[in-house]
Amino acid sequence: MLRFFTRSVLSLIVASASTCPARSSSASRPAFIAAFALSPPSAPSTSCQATMTASVAAESTDLPRWDLSRFGFSSPFSDEIDLHLEETAKLAEAFKAKYEGKLGELSLLSAIQDYEEISKRKTLVSSYLHLSYDVSLDDDTLKKRKGALSQRQSEIYGDNLEWFSLDVAELDDAVLASQYENDPSLTKFKSFIDELRRQKPHNLSKDVERALTVRSPYVGNRPLVSFFDKELSLMRFKLDEDGKEVNMEVLLSRMQSSNDAAFRAKCLQVLNEGLAGSVSRTAALSLSSVAGGWLVENKERKYINLRSRRNLDNNCPDEVVDSLLVGVRSAGIPLCKRFYTLKKGILQKTQGLDKFRWSDRNAPIDIGGVSNEKISWEAAVAMVKKGYNQFSPKMSEMFVSMVEEKRIDVPAANGKKGGAYCAGVIPGVGPFQLLNFDGTKQDVATLAHESGHGVHDILAYEQGYLQYHPPLTLAETASIFGEMIVFRDLLAQSSSKEEELTLLMSKIDDVVNSVVRQCSFDRFEELVHTAREKGELSADELDEYWMSALREYYGKEGDAGGDSPFDSYENTSHLWSYVPHFHHVPFYVYSYAFADLVVGTLYNNFLTNKEGFEGRLLALLSAGGTKDFANALGPFGLDPTSSTFWTEALTAHLGELVNEAEKIAKELGYVE
């Protein structure tokens, strides 16, 4: 695809297991156009999970690395790439000469087919460079090479292909109807055509669109965001008295896995203080630039509100997204507070907690001798394979093929991109997963999550390159369903109530973080983008907006006389500065909440209506981007456009999980 998929890992940022697809674009044009320019791939992705995962450790050399030979290039520096790109440029020039201004006269089907083939060739280079660089962020020579190719890509697209989406959008309805009538095979690309035509009210002139594309590698947000990415990857933190430094992945992993509250608090302090200063200022400059660009383009392209541009790209009405956010505020926040009150009580009994701090939010529940031993890669693969197989042998087979074909880069390593994602690339070449595996149960969930994205890609490839990528509102369906399958499988195997409660609490951590926390992220973005209209934003101002959103969603901290289960929010003020979603894909984060609640509803639907469910789900995934979320969920008897859908989903999904956990905790005497 022209857009590079990245899913954010749902752990310390989403606190769950994946890059959700980055459905972003440099303008309001359809997202698949953007990757021509080799912009940073984060969306997230990973979930998915692109974000900082908590499940990462020191470098490993014995874990599998991905094999990129499928791209057909011997090295990122090979002349093969330059020759491939120049051949693509010639094809693009011929394409323009043949079709520009003549789409109403010539075969639109042939034009789209030619466009698709050129696009696939360009994405082959873009994705290969992205994947190569994401495991070598400390390679400045590779970064320079990637930047040079980015510039060339932008020139090719701006000069020879930019016009195409604009001309399709401008086609007269009668002319398009005639094309459909003359060649019924054109209906294969109807969703692609419809997506282009939805953008018509927001397109600028050809000259302006070309200028934006050609200049993007040199000016604008991208250079700043790229610099911010690298600064994060270079960060090192000192945790031990021996002076040994660790990267952010290791720091987050140690904080989340520790049973020592004092150590967790120290980790958060080291993280927050490390982000202060130059990193925070760099993040502020980048985010202020992104928000400023979003503001200007919203005005120029006449979008109604802050999220309209993203919602249109997702083919999701503004009112549905607004309903989701209102539902989370009304039903999700009370459930969130119930859960953390429960967790606080358990930690007080089991770890002697004196204060429930933000550093304890993702603390492991260690009760009944439940083992926290590391899980080997082989065991993790076996667990995901088994979980998938119990629900869908077809999904299980696809997962095993990704492992055997070396499509997963497994270990954590210095210089490697943080988090996890699954890149769809193009049919016949992708997908590829990036992990930072450290053998925790969370890592198993991450593997299940990213593999769900991979399965989704493989199933949807039948729609062709231009239409296989789903809208964000459906892009997390397979990934979160994969997590749910493995979770329920592990829960069913529990040998004691203690183990059952441990698993439940971990799962609720994930759901709360992917629903309530992500919506708090959205609120932070809303505050930032609204304020940006009055001028550039400082790091101190962003700290204030971050804390404001945090208190809105979790309550005012207890030590300040508030209603939050948390006694303190100390050392949280700078945490906004390591969330890459804000920079790469503005207003992307709500898709995690959207997906988690949809999947929770689908899973409940599965429990009550198993007959034919697998077939319906696989059909949904195989549709790729050819169905919007409402039509895709129709066969399950679900109506996400209903005003009560989200509150009912929260009650049925998160509410039932919290009820289960509270019941067992009372039985075991951890709470009254």
Side-chain angles (χ1 to χ4, degrees):
M1 57 194 162
L2 298 182
R3 176 179 88 259
F4 188 93
F5 274 32
T6 285
R7 279 119 182 158
S8 111
V9 135
L10 308 175
S11 58
L12 256 273
I13 288 200
V14 239
S16 144
S18 168
T19 145
C20 302
R23 209 164 161 48
S24 72
S25 64
S26 58
S28 70
R29 301 182 305 282
F32 47 75
I33 291 172
F36 269 122
L38 282 176
S39 58
S42 298
S45 324
T46 34
S47 168
C48 10
Q49 297 234 326
T51 60
M52 304 301 161
T53 179
S55 334
V56 193
E59 291 204 47
S60 300
T61 57
D62 58 343
L63 292 174
R65 309 304 299 262
W66 54 29
D67 177 9
L68 302 184
S69 63
R70 291 177 178 275
F71 284 85
F73 304 122
S74 58
S75 156
F77 300 97
S78 73
D79 292 338
E80 303 159 335
I81 293 178
D82 300 274
L83 291 172
H84 179 95
L85 200 54
E86 290 314 307
E87 289 172 4
T88 303
K90 292 177 181 177
L91 290 172
E93 291 169 6
F95 175 79
K96 179 180 181 180
K98 180 177 181 179
Y99 290 109
E100 186 175 18
K102 306 170 189 174
L103 292 182
E105 307 164 18
L106 301 178
S107 168
L108 181 58
L109 175 63
S110 296
I112 292 175
Q113 289 171 332
D114 289 350
Y115 179 81
E116 183 173 47
E117 289 306 309
I118 296 170
S119 301
K120 287 164 63 177
R121 289 180 59 88
K122 292 177 65 62
T123 298
L124 192 71
V125 173
S126 301
S127 296
Y128 180 67
L129 268 291
H130 275 307
L131 296 176
S132 298
Y133 183 63
D134 280 354
V135 294
S136 304
L137 293 179
D138 53 358
D139 187 337
D140 287 338
T141 305
L142 179 54
K143 179 183 179 182
K144 185 175 182 179
R145 167 72 164 165
K146 178 171 172 281
L149 290 174
S150 172
Q151 294 165 16
R152 182 63 180 128
Q153 293 268 52
S154 295
E155 291 170 2
I156 292 170
Y157 181 77
D159 289 340
N160 302 299
L161 297 168
E162 181 80 56
W163 65 271
F164 182 68
S165 63
L166 304 175
D167 278 13
V168 173
E170 291 293 336
L171 278 175
D172 184 87
D173 289 344
V175 172
L176 181 59
S178 176
Q179 288 272 3
Y180 278 124
E181 183 178 352
N182 292 336
D183 195 342
S185 297
L186 181 62
T187 57
K188 173 186 175 182
F189 292 101
K190 187 176 186 305
S191 65
F192 169 72
I193 294 169
D194 289 347
E195 183 170 359
L196 294 180
R197 292 174 72 78
R198 282 196 301 273
Q199 300 288 346
K200 179 179 177 179
H202 310 290
N203 288 336
L204 304 177
S205 70
K206 286 184 181 180
D207 287 343
V208 172
E209 297 288 11
R210 178 196 173 279
L212 289 172
T213 299
V214 173
R215 286 164 173 73
S216 60
Y218 304 91
V219 298
N221 304 327
R222 192 186 308 163
L224 273 175
V225 174
S226 180
F227 181 75
F228 159 72
D229 280 344
K230 184 166 185 179
E231 289 299 291
L232 281 184
S233 75
L234 294 175
M235 290 193 73
R236 300 293 181 265
F237 304 86
K238 185 188 293 186
L239 273 179
D240 304 317
E241 296 301 325
D242 62 8
K244 182 178 179 181
E245 294 184 329
V246 298
N247 60 31
M248 186 182 293
E249 301 292 344
V250 175
L251 174 66
L252 295 175
S253 178
R254 291 185 182 179
M255 178 169 67
Q256 182 162 317
S257 61
S258 176
N259 290 319
D260 184 340
F263 180 73
R264 292 193 298 263
K266 179 182 178 182
C267 286
L268 187 62
Q269 180 183 0
V270 169
L271 173 63
N272 197 56
E273 291 178 353
L275 291 169
S278 61
V279 172
S280 184
R281 290 194 296 273
T282 299
L285 179 61
S286 174
L287 183 52
S288 187
S289 176
V290 168
W294 191 262
L295 173 69
V296 170
E297 288 211 15
N298 274 357
K299 289 182 177 179
E300 292 291 325
R301 298 180 183 277
K302 299 179 175 59
Y303 287 104
I304 298 173
N305 61 46
L306 287 173
R307 299 179 189 84
S308 294
R309 182 172 161 196
R310 180 68 57 222
N311 298 343
L312 180 64
D313 196 27
N314 292 333
N315 195 14
C316 186
D318 287 347
E319 54 268 27
V320 172
V321 176
D322 293 343
S323 178
L324 163 68
L325 297 173
V326 170
V328 171
R329 276 183 173 269
S330 62
I333 289 177
L335 287 170
C336 172
K337 290 181 179 179
R338 270 178 60 192
F339 168 65
Y340 284 126
T341 298
L342 173 63
K343 188 165 191 175
K344 178 178 182 179
I346 294 174
L347 290 175
Q348 287 174 335
K349 289 284 184 68
T350 60
Q351 295 184 13
L353 210 65
D354 59 340
K355 269 190 173 185
F356 189 51
R357 300 177 174 86
W358 191 253
S359 52
D360 302 313
R361 182 173 58 88
N362 292 317
I365 299 298
D366 182 22
I367 58 177
V370 176
S371 173
N372 284 319
E373 292 182 7
K374 297 292 184 181
I375 300 168
S376 70
W377 170 247
E378 293 75 15
V381 169
M383 292 166 72
V384 174
K385 176 183 176 182
K386 180 181 178 183
Y388 272 45
N389 193 61
Q390 289 189 8
F391 168 74
S392 171
K394 184 171 183 178
M395 290 176 67
S396 183
E397 290 173 7
M398 291 178 177
F399 163 68
V400 171
S401 72
M402 285 186 280
V403 175
E404 293 179 344
E405 293 171 5
K406 297 183 179 180
R407 295 179 176 277
I408 308 176
D409 199 87
V410 180
N414 286 335
K416 180 176 177 179
K417 188 177 184 66
Y421 64 69
C422 182
V425 190
I426 62 174
V429 177
F432 287 90
Q433 295 181 46
L434 180 143
L435 304 178
N436 279 283
F437 184 83
D438 187 35
T440 67
K441 289 181 179 177
Q442 192 68 38
D443 287 335
V444 179
T446 299
L447 175 61
H449 184 107
E450 297 306 333
S451 297
H453 282 303
V455 168
H456 199 163
D457 289 333
I458 294 169
L459 288 168
Y461 281 158
E462 67 183 59
Q463 303 297 338
Y465 170 74
L466 294 176
Q467 298 184 139
Y468 86 84
H469 45 281
L472 282 184
T473 48
L474 294 173
E476 294 294 328
T477 304
S479 55
I480 296 178
F481 209 94
E483 282 188 69
M484 181 68 78
I485 293 165
V486 173
F487 162 69
R488 286 296 175 181
D489 187 42
L490 291 172
L491 194 65
Q493 299 174 36
S494 298
S495 59
S496 66
K497 287 289 185 181
E498 287 81 2
E499 184 176 359
E500 191 175 348
L501 180 59
T502 298
L503 289 169
L504 276 168
M505 294 296 288
S506 178
K507 182 60 180 176
I508 301 170
D509 272 330
D510 292 347
V511 176
V512 166
N513 282 293
S514 62
V515 176
V516 179
R517 184 154 169 75
Q518 290 303 305
C519 288
S520 76
F521 283 5
D522 178 273
R523 175 57 176 157
F524 168 72
E525 286 190 278
E526 182 178 29
L527 293 171
V528 170
H529 283 252
T530 300
R532 183 62 180 87
E533 192 163 9
K534 298 179 181 178
E536 186 172 324
L537 302 172
S538 68
D540 288 341
E541 289 175 299
L542 293 170
D543 287 348
E544 292 177 7
Y545 295 136
W546 178 257
M547 296 306 299
S548 176
L550 187 149
R551 292 186 174 100
E552 281 185 43
Y553 277 77
Y554 297 91
K556 188 175 181 182
E557 57 267 48
D559 63 6
D563 61 342
S564 172
F566 291 96
D567 297 305
S568 172
Y569 291 140
E570 60 186 338
N571 296 314
T572 60
S573 58
H574 308 310
L575 299 186
W576 59 270
S577 60
Y578 79 103
V579 183
H581 289 59
F582 302 149
H583 306 258
H584 291 286
V585 195
F587 296 102
Y588 164 84
V589 290
Y590 75 71
S591 67
Y592 286 107
F594 198 112
D596 211 314
L597 293 177
V598 166
V599 169
T601 304
L602 281 175
Y603 191 81
N604 289 329
N605 184 277
F606 163 65
L607 295 177
T608 58
N609 188 19
K610 292 186 178 182
E611 186 67 30
F613 183 88
E614 179 187 5
R616 291 192 295 274
L617 182 61
L618 294 179
L620 181 157
L621 302 179
S622 298
T626 62
K627 289 185 179 180
D628 62 30
F629 75 102
N631 289 327
L633 296 179
F636 300 91
L638 302 175
D639 180 14
T641 64
S642 165
S643 60
T644 61
F645 178 83
W646 301 111
T647 53
E648 291 172 356
L650 278 158
T651 301
H653 181 38
L654 177 58
E656 285 304 308
L657 288 170
V658 173
N659 288 342
E660 286 183 65
E662 287 176 336
K663 180 181 178 182
I664 297 175
K666 288 178 181 177
E667 291 176 6
L668 295 174
Y670 291 115
V671 293
E672 298 297 328

